[in-house]
Amino acid sequence: MSYLELENLHRSFGSFKALNGINISLGEGEFLSLLGPSGCGKTTALRLVAGFDQPNEGRILVEGRDQTGVPPNRRDMGMVFQAYSLFPNMNARQNVEFGLRIRGKHKGEGRGRVDDLLELVGLTHAVDRYPHQLSGGMQQRVALARALAIEPRVLLLDEPLSALDAKVRVQLREEIRRIQLELGITTLYVTHDQEEALAISDHVAVMYGGVIEQMGTPAEMYTAPATPFVAEFIGTMNRLDSRVVNGEVGEVEHSGLHLHVDAARGRRNGERVLVLIRPESLELEAATNGTAPNSFAGEVLTQTFLGPVTRVKVTGSGTSLIADMSTARAAALPVGASVVAKIPSEGAKLISLPDDGPGLPVLDPDDQ
Amino acid sequence: MSGRRRPSLAWLPTVPFFAYTVAFLFVPAGAVMLGAFQDKHDHATVANIRLLFDHPYIDAYKTSIEISLVTAVLGGFLGLFVAYAAIREGTPGFVRSMLSTFSGVAANFGGIPLAFAWIATLGPLGVVTVWLRSSGWDPSAHGFQLFSKTGVEIAYMYFQLPLMILVIAPAIDGLKREWREAAANLGAKQWQFWRYVGMPVLMPSLLGAIILLFGNSFAAYATAYSLTSGSVNIVPVLISAYYTGNVLDNPHIAQALAFGMFVVLALMMMIYIPLQRRAARWAK
Amino acid sequence: MKRLRMAPSAYLWLALAAAYFLIPLYATLDFSLRENKVGTPCCTLHNYGWVVHNGDFWHTIKISFLLALETIVISLALFVPTIYWVHLKVPRLRPVIAFLALVPFIVPPIVMVVGLLRTFKWTPHWFYAEPWGFLATAYVILAFPYMFFSLDAGFRSIDVHTLTEASQSLGAKWTTTLFRVILPNIRSAALAASFLTLAIVLGEFTIANLAAFHTFPIFLQYVNESQGFPAGALTLLSFGITWAAMLSLLLVGRKRGTRSAVIAGAR
């Protein structure tokens, strides 16, 4: 049975539809991330679950019981906000203790629980410090301990790492996951950082424009994006707007280039599709005098050193492709070199596109 | 100029400013302080200061302090409630703007015009007085007099309240919405939030504002003077009595009175400044 | 975008505040529309006519406006370069000046006038006995805290160093930089401070009264004591002028978003 259920949630603000029929089901102890750009509705959904807002339509169920009319202070959920949520007039210990104090449980065994939690988040040395004396990362650890102190049924996190430095973010997200697994607490996590969501979640739900575009395990989302938006949003992807030329053998055509893609088999001729190829699955070689099958010939335009890999951009016949390879191999293909990119016929994925109109969503780079 | 240490003369262009302040603020203030300790023949004495503890001078201080305390505390809390009512979620935004604008004007609306406005309202022929009388309740029969300490207090609230609203509004803004939500999320009811988080965080700003109001009221002159024609015994009125040629014949007494005011206000400042620092720290 | 309903207690407090603030204004209006005798019915513009035709009214209001102008000019000329210089070259002096800006609250007008009268008894007639000397000088001090807080906020909101250095690298002298680069950028703060000063000077009674100068507030008091009902018309006029000054301040402040505490002292 699902532990936390969001059933057909709708929420409008005036004429703006923030949530348009959201359905999510979490099992007990499951970690699910709501992933998407600003304005997609993920925070709205989270706030509905927490009780800070009421849906226009739909229900929220915890352990089968309808929470929709219950005020936030009686829902028994712990929430970690993006920033600034620690009470400034209390030190770390008093902040963590707050929920217990309200319930009258802060003395006796409650005190032990606070100590355990502070140890769990690694802050035993700073219990007496006030929020303005703590770094951003430490503040969020306190916020986490505070939310867990009341032993909530559900843990809600609203972009808890967005305001922190990059290194702290990576470190803290691992710890959040570790603690969540150790306590086995059902968790709903909101973020716009796809790497973060993929790294720590059991399941990911990508949201856009108030609806869920796709929901699945991180691996599924990465290797098999179901919509153009998800393909664009998760990871880097080569996208080729193509038409099926021969559905029997799986041949597609893009800007004069003919390619074989296994996934195109069985499609009807003339259908418009989006061919998706991950940069790491493209093989680049120096051009030789022959023509390789299923390949794309061009010139190296740029090389971008990314640390673990080098990203090589190749252009030719009006298209450009991105290939990721080891820096050593990229050294052999300098800028301007003529290269051949071999497209793996089984490695490419396919998404249908409407016959007319735009196919590829334009994403604001500031959103990601 | 040899050696590495070149005395910096960067502060030179600020001399005109400091010269002006010294000449027209510190020197006069110093003259008052000095004069307070001089007698009719300009010899040093503390007799003037000692005189301050006699009637009617000590009564003037008592009345001044009482009026200031009442209007500061009352204005403080009422101003807090009104400001919060205008700022909180649920109240439309235009209410806050209107209150802000009006407070800006009302905080400056004092002295003679204000006194007249209150005479027109609660004076013997005032609009409200007449209306109350026609409804059967005669204020003067119940001992109410506008030209009294109470009247001054009522009148003073007209600029104390807006001052409080203007000063406390940023502090209320500083009550982050996340705190209220976090508190609710952890199980706290409204009053528990205020008790454990809201009021403690507001307290330094609130106290600082009340002190500001106290100083504002204590130093006020024109309103009380105009309202009561100088009949209510507060320190500024007593000082002015000398200069309008009535009671005192020893100028140094007026200066001693002024010195006394200065002491009270300086004490207030000494409490105010650290409070402001504390408030700023928590607003981070 | 959330449409919550207003809390009932909010209605209560706001209604009480509205009543407290508006009733005296209404009462003033009522009084101002009655003839100068007890018990006459409403409504006549007689009092307003009296004000408009009163020579003393125009005389004193002109004096007060000119006085305000003089105060503003002297204040700006004194404070703008000083605060600019402090922000640019001697930031360590800033807390000193900020502290000094609090001194006028400890030495209120009533105390200050006592000291001023005593100290400057020896000065020549053109300074001591004319409002343009003695009074303006005192008013600059009165305006100082509000000038400082407003201008300081304005300077803090621009990058003084970068602007100055850019201007100088293009060959400008100090005066050019100050007038052509810095001033336009703190314009709204300076205007805000000016309107505040205007309100202060137009309402200042204490010093003018004790130093026996004939300004608009003094005229108001005279009318109040001797006439009665026409004072109502004057009161509303005075309130209206302050309101106009504050609105201008708001309009000016809105452009750059610099808000400063809007409190002065006609008390």
Side-chain angles (χ1 to χ4, degrees):
Chain A
M1 183 186 76
S2 81
Y3 195 80
L4 169 66
E5 179 132 4
L6 282 69
E7 194 182 274
N8 194 30
L9 289 179
H10 289 260
R11 181 72 172 107
S12 304
F13 297 107
S15 56
F16 173 64
K17 191 101 203 219
L19 287 181
N20 204 349
I22 302 291
N23 286 285
I24 295 178
S25 194
L26 277 93
E28 189 169 357
E30 184 182 326
F31 191 119
L32 184 134
S33 288
L34 293 177
L35 173 66
S38 331
C40 69
K42 55 194 194 294
T43 300
T44 311
L46 193 77
R47 290 175 62 84
L48 288 181
V49 177
F52 296 126
D53 200 8
Q54 297 300 315
N56 295 113
E57 252 181 82
R59 303 190 298 166
I60 292 150
L61 301 143
V62 177
E63 288 185 287
R65 276 195 297 260
D66 189 356
Q67 302 289 297
T68 321
V70 180
N73 60 340
R74 289 221 303 264
R75 288 203 186 191
D76 211 14
M77 299 182 186
M79 182 143 165
V80 179
F81 297 79
Q82 191 170 346
Y84 313 120
S85 68
L86 294 185
F87 306 130
N89 55 318
M90 303 181 192
N91 63 23
R93 173 189 294 281
Q94 289 163 334
N95 261 284
V96 175
E97 213 173 62
F98 183 78
L100 296 173
R101 178 184 283 270
I102 298 288
R103 292 162 173 74
K105 289 199 216 146
H106 59 286
K107 308 240 170 78
E109 75 160 41
R111 184 161 292 162
R113 181 165 175 77
V114 171
D115 288 328
D116 288 339
L117 277 167
L118 285 164
E119 195 183 318
L120 187 64
V121 298
L123 276 180
T124 330
H125 61 288
V127 293
D128 291 318
R129 288 200 216 159
Y130 283 83
H132 69 271
Q133 298 168 308
L134 297 168
S135 70
M138 289 162 90
Q139 284 185 31
Q140 292 299 68
R141 288 169 199 260
V142 176
L144 182 62
R146 182 177 69 175
L148 293 171
I150 56 172
E151 293 180 277
R153 295 179 297 174
V154 177
L155 183 63
L156 306 168
L157 301 111
D158 186 3
E159 303 203 52
L161 308 179
S162 302
L164 305 175
D165 294 338
K167 257 226 146 55
V168 177
R169 244 186 275 160
V170 175
Q171 197 182 5
L172 209 44
R173 79 182 184 210
E174 303 294 328
E175 290 198 37
I176 291 177
R177 178 56 158 162
R178 172 183 64 84
I179 295 170
Q180 185 265 341
L181 284 171
E182 197 173 310
L183 297 175
I185 184 166
T186 312
T187 304
L188 193 57
Y189 189 97
V190 162
T191 180
H192 64 268
D193 183 342
Q194 45 103 7
E195 187 191 303
E196 195 172 283
L198 295 181
I200 58 177
S201 321
D202 290 320
H203 290 95
V204 175
V206 174
M207 287 180 66
Y208 185 59
V211 295
I212 296 181
E213 292 264 321
Q214 187 181 354
M215 187 154 56
T217 66
E220 280 166 22
M221 308 295 292
Y222 185 79
T223 54
T227 74
F229 177 81
V230 177
E232 174 67 27
F233 194 77
I234 299 205
T236 315
M237 189 74 105
N238 287 298
R239 294 130 60 225
L240 301 171
D241 194 338
S242 321
R243 285 219 181 255
V244 178
V245 168
N246 188 338
E248 279 172 57
V249 299
E251 187 179 333
V252 301
E253 178 266 333
H254 167 83
S255 291
L257 188 68
H258 283 252
L259 301 168
H260 278 267
V261 173
D262 287 352
R265 282 207 202 111
R267 300 259 178 176
R268 61 174 178 79
N269 293 4
E271 186 181 345
R272 187 171 168 219
V273 291
L274 193 63
V275 178
L276 305 169
I277 311 166
R278 288 283 178 202
E280 59 267 22
S281 49
L282 271 179
E283 293 173 38
L284 273 190
E285 278 173 5
T288 52
N289 275 340
T291 38
N294 220 29
S295 64
F296 163 80
E299 235 176 57
V300 175
L301 184 66
T302 61
Q303 280 204 7
T304 311
F305 177 66
L306 292 178
V309 296
T310 294
R311 184 156 286 171
V312 181
K313 191 163 181 176
V314 179
T315 46
S317 27
T319 314
S320 58
L321 290 178
I322 296 175
D324 285 351
M325 64 189 67
S326 76
T327 309
R329 286 206 58 216
L333 306 165
V335 173
S338 294
V339 291
V340 159
K342 276 208 265 196
I343 291 158
S345 57
E346 69 284 349
K349 296 278 183 286
L350 224 61
I351 301 177
S352 302
L353 286 177
D355 272 329
D356 294 301
L360 308 179
V362 178
L363 284 178
D364 187 342
D366 293 330
D367 272 355
Q368 304 190 51
Chain B
M1 278 189 257
S2 59
R4 297 178 135 242
R5 280 292 215 80
R6 235 191 317 151
S8 164
L9 292 172
W11 50 265
L12 262 180
T14 63
V15 164
F17 162 78
F18 283 109
Y20 193 97
T21 330
V22 165
F24 298 111
L25 181 58
F26 286 100
V27 166
V32 171
M33 306 312 146
L34 269 179
F37 292 95
Q38 290 176 325
D39 68 11
K40 256 194 270 213
H41 309 286
D42 289 350
H43 296 146
T45 170
V46 293
N48 301 320
I49 306 294
R50 236 182 265 140
L51 200 57
L52 289 182
F53 293 92
D54 288 345
H55 305 284
Y57 309 110
I58 193 69
D59 300 312
Y61 278 104
K62 279 208 201 115
T63 312
S64 269
I65 292 180
E66 186 187 319
I67 293 179
S68 303
L69 265 177
V70 167
T71 56
V73 173
L74 208 59
F77 281 98
L78 292 179
L80 174 65
F81 298 147
V82 172
Y84 183 67
I87 296 177
R88 64 185 299 180
E89 266 183 29
T91 310
F94 76 85
V95 172
R96 183 199 175 143
S97 310
M98 266 192 345
L99 189 65
S100 253
T101 319
F102 187 85
S103 297
V105 184
N108 282 320
F109 186 55
I112 295 88
L114 183 64
F116 182 89
W118 280 105
I119 294 175
T121 312
L122 286 175
L125 295 169
V127 167
V128 173
T129 315
V130 166
W131 178 77
L132 282 174
R133 233 183 264 145
S134 71
S135 313
W137 193 84
D138 189 350
S140 51
H142 290 258
F144 173 75
Q145 245 280 51
L146 181 66
F147 310 119
S148 66
K149 191 173 55 172
T150 314
V152 169
E153 285 164 2
I154 295 179
Y156 272 18
M157 291 296 282
Y158 206 88
F159 54 77
Q160 294 285 67
L161 255 170
L163 179 59
M164 182 61 181
I165 292 173
L166 289 172
V167 171
I168 205 72
I172 296 180
D173 280 335
L175 283 178
K176 301 209 157 69
R177 182 226 237 174
E178 282 88 349
W179 298 338
R180 250 177 299 148
E181 290 183 346
N185 174 258
L186 293 162
K189 301 196 197 59
Q190 277 271 63
W191 71 267
Q192 286 170 317
F193 164 72
W194 284 110
R195 175 170 177 235
Y196 290 109
V197 185
M199 282 308 274
V201 173
L202 268 185
M203 200 49 75
S205 304
L206 188 62
L207 286 176
I210 290 182
I211 289 181
L212 197 67
L213 258 63
F214 180 93
N216 198 38
S217 171
F218 193 73
Y221 163 69
T223 315
Y225 175 80
S226 181
L227 190 67
T228 66
S229 306
S231 73
V232 85
N233 189 17
I234 56 173
V235 182
V237 167
L238 211 52
I239 294 178
S240 78
Y242 169 78
Y243 287 96
T244 48
N246 290 346
V247 184
L248 309 165
D249 66 288
N250 183 350
H252 298 291
I253 307 244
Q255 283 150 13
L257 283 167
F259 177 75
M261 282 192 75
F262 168 77
V263 168
V264 173
L265 290 167
L267 274 169
M268 289 287 118
M269 268 299 140
M270 290 203 290
I271 310 178
Y272 176 76
I273 294 179
L275 270 177
Q276 282 302 93
R277 235 180 271 143
R278 168 82 76 91
R281 191 167 22 118
W282 282 353
K284 224 176 43 125
Chain C
M1 271 194 266
K2 274 178 238 188
R3 201 122 0 131
L4 298 174
R5 262 160 300 131
M6 208 162 105
S9 64
Y11 274 116
L12 177 70
W13 286 113
L14 291 170
L16 285 175
Y20 177 79
F21 285 127
L22 294 176
I23 291 179
L25 289 177
Y26 165 75
T28 310
L29 183 66
D30 179 281
F31 266 48
S32 75
L33 291 173
R34 288 169 195 269
E35 286 243 23
N36 202 2
K37 287 181 231 123
V38 177
T40 44
C42 202
C43 284
T44 162
L45 287 175
H46 170 86
N47 290 319
Y48 290 94
W50 183 91
V51 167
V52 171
H53 288 115
N54 189 313
D56 241 352
F57 165 72
W58 292 109
H59 179 71
T60 53
I61 238 212
K62 200 166 51 161
I63 292 186
S64 282
F65 261 101
L66 286 175
L67 205 49
L69 202 62
E70 186 188 345
T71 308
I72 291 172
V73 168
I74 298 180
S75 299
L76 288 177
L78 188 62
F79 299 134
V80 170
T82 306
I83 299 178
Y84 168 56
W85 189 258
V86 167
H87 270 259
L88 191 65
K89 294 282 188 184
V90 261
R92 248 185 296 166
L93 277 183
R94 199 194 147 269
V96 175
I97 302 188
F99 177 75
L100 284 182
L102 289 177
V103 172
F105 290 125
I106 316 178
V107 184
I110 187 76
V111 173
M112 205 166 86
V113 68
V114 171
L116 283 170
L117 284 172
R118 181 174 140 104
T119 314
F120 293 99
K121 241 192 314 216
W122 321 109
T123 50
H125 183 87
W126 57 262
F127 176 81
Y128 192 70
E130 286 293 319
W132 323 114
F134 185 84
L135 215 47
T137 318
Y139 285 173
V140 169
I141 296 287
L142 273 192
F144 168 41
Y146 309 100
M147 277 265 164
F148 172 76
F149 289 125
S150 192
L151 290 171
D152 185 59
F155 275 106
R156 264 184 297 150
S157 70
I158 63 171
D159 190 342
V160 178
H161 285 100
T162 310
L163 282 175
T164 308
E165 285 164 12
S167 170
Q168 294 189 316
S169 76
L170 292 164
K173 298 184 308 224
W174 279 115
T175 43
T176 318
T177 307
L178 185 62
F179 282 104
R180 294 275 199 117
V181 177
I182 301 296
L183 260 178
N185 278 292
I186 53 146
R187 199 174 41 137
S188 64
L191 275 173
S194 303
F195 281 119
L196 258 174
T197 308
L198 176 69
I200 295 175
V201 172
L202 284 182
E204 207 287 324
F205 176 76
T206 310
I207 298 182
N209 187 33
L210 265 63
F213 287 108
H214 210 56
T215 60
F216 177 61
I218 305 295
F219 172 67
L220 238 168
Q221 170 60 357
Y222 165 72
V223 172
N224 191 31
E225 270 174 11
S226 62
Q227 305 273 356
F229 288 84
L234 268 176
T235 298
L236 276 183
L237 234 111
S238 148
F239 187 82
I241 296 177
T242 316
W243 186 277
M246 287 305 135
L247 273 181
S248 321
L249 195 160
L250 261 177
L251 286 171
V252 156
R254 196 152 287 178
K255 284 198 197 129
R256 281 296 180 89
T258 43
R259 302 267 171 107
S260 44
V262 182
I263 353 108
R267 307 142 287 155

